[in-house]
Amino acid sequence: MAAGVSVGADAATAPSDGETQRRPSSSSSCRHRVSPIVNPSLTKEMRGLPSLYRGLFTLSNRQARREAGTVGPRCGFCGTRSNSKPQPKFGLLFDIDGVLVRGRMPIPAAKKAFEKLVDSQGQFVVPVVFVTNAGNCLRQTKADQLSHILGVPIAQDQVIMSHSPLRMFKKFHDKCVLVSGQGPVLEIAKNLGFQNVVSIDMLRESYPLLDMVDHNRRPKLPSNPVINPPKVEALVLFGEPIRWETNLQLIIDVLLTNGNLSSVHQTHKMPHLTVLACNMDLMWMAEANSPRFGHGTFLVCLENIYKKITGKDLKYEALMGKPSELTYHFAEYLIRSQAMQRQWKLPITSLYAIGDNLMTDIYGANLYNRFLEERVARKNPKAVAKMVAATGSTTAVPQEEDVDNLWESELALPSATSCKSVLVCTGVYNPNAEVPPDANHCIKETVFHGHRDFRFDPALVEPGQIVQDVAEAVDLIFELEKFVPQ
């Protein structure tokens, strides 16, 4: 999801609309090397990624090959290797909202771009993954939508939703979890592996006296719980809900009663229940001229209400979706799976992330690029501290005790050595302005729109390249890679 003007989940921090931009000439280059920042202090206040990475170890080489095999029949990756055709050494990561579509309207350049990415047999000429912060549907549903929009067959294994990494958090799959969001949240949760799921609506029906903001929905007479749901043991926040007041109230109730809504608030009880959050987009781009509130805005409300009541910060077990590093980790794994299915011999060494949001697409790609550059030194605690400096906490960084084990599985061992960011101007980022000639001089950060637990680093929101739309992005990448499909 492309959300966030310099905003959050597909969201990015963008310059003000008043900034003048010019389209770059063919001779100008916006590529820019990101310099790591060293933070001497390594805090342990958050524990997000370790649990995920431990889950990643369960994906063995055999499973990787099996999952790779599911990609072929539906997405044009079936067939044997052809030595006569050029073999790519790069993969493409596409954001969706603001890059391929605006709300329900496809961006004209999208279909043009994908005509260049498939051959005459309908097979992709390079590995492609769609990385979105949307979380209101199943991967298969999103794949079907993309197939219709782009006119090419897309498989669910080419799609990463903001909630996709939750399938790795197996230690929570047998717990009773409260899910918040919109769309088929119960089906999504069960598809991800959660076995005991409760929705906000189910809680509201059981405890009608708790939802009191809307006077028209208040019960006329006091009532007892109709159904006594099990005690909530964890919360999963998929995306922005429809009725914010109801969701905010009941989520706070669950946190302050330790999952037992029959009891009273205990504002001093710590720690609170586990919270897993997907999609940090502050805003996202639909059909309107200006960006709309995203799940990141909802999280800002939730975090501030919790702190106002308790005086303490709301803590997350993990934050998922862009710009979280684990999302790009999983995307790189799917890229390698596709290359394996096509029996391409050349390793995929370069990734190109195409997005419209500085604070999600660009920040996330640059953060993962920094990780790839530092991977060799990861066993050195100082190298881990550099990643902490980029995010401001250990939410997106493995704990020191896990560092030695992170790279033992195929999923955790990337073949890519770089992840380059490409910014398009059809979404959150100044959609009606011309393209600036030099990304190094035009990207100015005045207000940080990223999530509270991610520290602002100017280098991470500077795109490697800026182009007008996704069609120009594909042309530029082919030119940079000297790749001429047949």
Side-chain angles (χ1 to χ4, degrees), residues 96-128:
I96 297 177
D97 292 295
V99 175
L100 306 178
V101 299
R102 290 276 297 268
R104 298 181 181 179
M105 300 296 295
I107 293 172
K111 198 162 188 178
K112 180 180 177 183
F114 276 79
E115 289 174 352
K116 303 171 185 177
L117 292 173
V118 296
D119 60 21
S120 57
Q121 285 77 44
Q123 292 186 332
F124 279 94
V125 297
V126 299
V128 167

Side-chain angles (χ1 to χ4, degrees), residues 194-214:
F194 295 98
Q195 302 167 22
N196 190 1
V197 186
V198 176
S199 69
I200 293 289
D201 285 340
M202 292 168 64
L203 286 187
R204 182 180 175 276
E205 291 173 4
S206 297
Y207 300 96
L209 294 178
L210 298 183
D211 185 18
M212 301 297 285
V213 173
D214 188 340

Side-chain angles (χ1 to χ4, degrees), residues 173-178 190 194-198 230 233:
H173 286 179
D174 60 349
K175 296 183 181 297
C176 178
V177 298
L178 171 66
K190 291 176 180 178
F194 295 98
Q195 302 167 22
N196 190 1
V197 186
V198 176
E233 299 174 278

Side-chain angles (χ1 to χ4, degrees), residues 270 272 302-310 312 314:
M270 288 296 286
H272 59 66
L302 179 64
E303 292 157 8
N304 281 277
I305 292 171
Y306 183 84
K307 186 163 188 176
K308 193 71 172 178
I309 293 174
T310 67
K312 301 177 177 67
L314 180 70

Side-chain angles (χ1 to χ4, degrees), residues 189-249:
K190 291 176 180 178
N191 182 265
L192 290 167
F194 295 98
Q195 302 167 22
N196 190 1
V197 186
V198 176
S199 69
I200 293 289
D201 285 340
M202 292 168 64
L203 286 187
R204 182 180 175 276
E205 291 173 4
S206 297
Y207 300 96
L209 294 178
L210 298 183
D211 185 18
M212 301 297 285
V213 173
D214 188 340
H215 290 225
N216 293 325
R217 295 210 304 171
R218 288 184 180 182
K220 303 303 179 184
L221 297 172
S223 61
N224 296 319
V226 179
I227 302 174
N228 286 312
K231 180 181 178 181
V232 175
E233 299 174 278
L235 290 84
V236 177
L237 311 180
F238 283 130
E240 63 272 17
I242 296 175
R243 284 186 170 270
W244 287 32
E245 77 283 0
T246 297
N247 284 257
L248 288 169
Q249 178 69 76

Side-chain angles (χ1 to χ4, degrees), residues 180-484:
S180 170
Q182 55 183 291
V185 290
L186 296 177
E187 183 181 3
I188 292 171
K190 291 176 180 178
N191 182 265
L192 290 167
F194 295 98
Q195 302 167 22
N196 190 1
V197 186
V198 176
S199 69
I200 293 289
D201 285 340
M202 292 168 64
L203 286 187
R204 182 180 175 276
E205 291 173 4
S206 297
Y207 300 96
L209 294 178
L210 298 183
D211 185 18
M212 301 297 285
V213 173
D214 188 340
H215 290 225
N216 293 325
R217 295 210 304 171
R218 288 184 180 182
K220 303 303 179 184
L221 297 172
S223 61
N224 296 319
V226 179
I227 302 174
N228 286 312
K231 180 181 178 181
V232 175
E233 299 174 278
L235 290 84
V236 177
L237 311 180
F238 283 130
E240 63 272 17
I242 296 175
R243 284 186 170 270
W244 287 32
E245 77 283 0
T246 297
N247 284 257
L248 288 169
Q249 178 69 76
L250 293 184
I251 291 172
I252 290 293
D253 287 335
V254 168
L255 289 171
L256 297 184
T257 61
N258 200 35
N260 182 10
L261 292 181
S262 298
S263 63
V264 298
H265 286 185
Q266 302 174 42
T267 58
H268 300 295
K269 183 165 182 149
M270 288 296 286
H272 59 66
L273 294 177
T274 294
V275 180
L276 300 165
C278 312
N279 184 350
M280 294 166 274
D281 286 354
L282 186 69
M283 304 173 79
W284 67 288
M285 202 69 188
E287 293 94 338
N289 292 330
S290 300
R292 305 292 86 196
F293 291 161
H295 192 220
T297 305
F298 179 81
L299 295 179
V300 168
C301 296
L302 179 64
E303 292 157 8
N304 281 277
I305 292 171
Y306 183 84
K307 186 163 188 176
K308 193 71 172 178
I309 293 174
T310 67
K312 301 177 177 67
D313 287 333
L314 180 70
K315 302 289 186 179
Y316 296 95
E317 174 76 10
L319 290 163
M320 283 154 280
K322 295 175 291 185
S324 176
E325 177 190 326
L326 64 88
T327 294
Y328 291 85
H329 226 16
F330 191 61
E332 197 267 352
Y333 162 72
L334 294 182
I335 289 288
R336 280 186 288 117
S337 297
Q338 293 177 24
M340 184 186 302
Q341 173 66 21
R342 288 295 295 273
Q343 301 181 36
W344 283 325
K345 286 185 175 181
L346 299 176
I348 303 299
T349 56
S350 298
L351 300 176
Y352 290 88
I354 304 168
D356 70 314
N357 194 315
L358 290 175
M359 199 46 58
T360 52
D361 305 311
I362 305 306
Y363 186 111
N366 289 341
L367 184 64
Y368 190 59
N369 183 69
R370 179 175 291 180
F371 153 72
L372 292 173
E373 290 180 341
E374 297 176 352
R375 200 182 130 231
V376 176
R378 272 307 193 110
K379 291 188 177 183
N380 183 340
K382 291 183 179 180
V384 179
K386 292 181 182 180
M387 189 66 73
V388 177
T391 63
S393 79
T394 54
T395 305
V397 187
Q399 302 296 317
E400 288 183 80
E401 59 268 23
D402 298 306
V403 171
D404 290 336
N405 299 320
L406 288 184
W407 323 122
E408 293 178 0
S409 71
E410 179 175 351
L411 178 57
L413 280 171
S415 63
T417 57
S418 68
C419 183
K420 302 166 185 177
S421 57
V422 181
L423 179 67
V424 299
C425 299
T426 51
V428 165
Y429 179 75
N430 288 338
N432 299 316
E434 295 181 3
V435 183
D438 188 347
N440 188 24
H441 294 97
C442 71
I443 305 300
K444 305 297 182 185
E445 177 67 12
T446 56
V447 179
F448 180 59
H449 287 182
H451 188 269
R452 176 199 69 185
D453 292 342
F454 284 76
R455 177 175 299 171
F456 173 64
D457 179 347
L460 292 177
V461 294
E462 291 182 1
Q465 302 282 351
I466 303 179
V467 295
Q468 188 61 45
D469 54 41
V470 65
E472 287 191 18
V474 170
D475 287 340
L476 176 62
I477 293 167
F478 279 11
E479 179 183 348
L480 293 173
E481 291 289 328
K482 297 179 173 56
F483 183 76
V484 181

